[in-house]
Amino acid sequence: MYCLNSVDIDTAVWFLPLSRNEAVEAIKKAYAVAQEYARKIGGRLEVIQPRHIYGEAADKFGYSLQLGRITVNLPPAAVLVVWGFYNADEYLDFVRFIQDGRVYEWFVEPIAYYPERVGVWAEEPLVFRNVLYIDVHTTSGEERDRTYGWPLGYYISPLQPPPEVKPPRRPRGGGPPRREGGGRS
């Protein structure tokens, strides 16, 4: 088990290898959370895929993370539930998830040394909506644009987009609305 405990972030993170029973329970819990969101929004539940993170640029990186900052623009009513991390890169040292001023920093380097290379976060899964930033950092001195790690979790998208909210109609001419019957009083 690996712990991250830092004063400049919001939470401590405990990673477990996939082989631990607690890891299986954490994944089941995250799946139940994702199912509940899917039920609430009438949505489809999928595993996180490159198109969910990168949008139109998904083919460029595939299941690897771009180094630096990634901006994830989730569609209206979509939800991202993250329960763990895959790391096959011994130089990938940390990933930050940033949303609404909250920072979740995961030191993921030790996961590269687990036999299955999967670390499961033992706390509540992270749930993101709207705009999310992912900062990816490596200690490698090589010039490269990506690292071989990937967040694990679920993406929930509504089957139908939410209805567009239209502003109330204003009366023509800018005056007060007309009375019934259109006559004078």
Side-chain angles (χ1 to χ4, degrees):
M1 199 160 34
Y2 178 73
C3 174
L4 155 71
N5 194 358
S6 177
V7 294
D8 59 341
I9 60 171
D10 292 329
T11 60
V13 176
W14 295 87
F15 275 112
L16 303 167
L18 191 58
S19 58
R20 300 269 306 263
N21 288 338
E22 298 99 320
V24 173
E25 292 305 312
I27 296 169
K28 286 180 182 178
K29 187 179 197 178
Y31 184 71
V33 168
Q35 280 184 314
E36 182 63 21
Y37 278 105
R39 186 191 62 72
K40 283 180 183 175
I41 66 170
R44 174 180 46 241
L45 189 150
E46 307 173 66
V47 296
I48 299 173
Q49 299 172 32
R51 63 187 168 93
H52 303 137
I53 301 291
Y54 297 114
E56 298 294 322
D59 292 340
K60 181 177 179 183
F61 291 100
Y63 284 95
S64 64
L65 288 174
Q66 173 186 350
L67 291 176
R69 178 163 282 189
I70 302 166
T71 302
V72 181
N73 289 305
L74 297 171
V79 178
L80 200 64
V81 177
V82 181
W83 55 260
F85 203 82
Y86 170 78
N87 184 13
D89 189 332
E90 64 185 336
Y91 298 108
L92 173 59
D93 59 344
F94 70 82
V95 175
R96 281 188 193 113
F97 298 94
I98 305 164
Q99 186 174 54
D100 297 332
R102 292 186 61 107
V103 176
Y104 302 92
E105 188 169 45
W106 286 8
F107 283 97
V108 296
E109 186 177 28
I111 296 171
Y113 302 107
Y114 293 165
E116 60 278 328
R117 297 182 177 191
V118 172
V120 178
W121 189 33
E123 301 295 325
E124 292 289 322
L126 299 178
V127 177
F128 301 108
R129 296 176 197 84
N130 304 320
V131 177
L132 162 70
Y133 301 100
I134 304 173
D135 285 346
V136 182
H137 186 265
T138 182
T139 59
S140 174
E142 298 175 25
E143 280 295 317
R144 58 187 187 158
D145 65 347
R146 70 191 71 205
T147 188
Y148 298 98
W150 191 252
L152 301 172
Y154 306 104
Y155 176 80
I156 301 94
S157 62
L159 295 176
Q160 295 183 7
E164 183 180 334
V165 178
K166 295 182 180 179
R169 297 179 90 184
R170 289 187 171 189
R172 291 184 185 190
R178 298 182 108 195
R179 296 176 135 178
E180 286 287 321
R184 297 183 192 195
S185 10

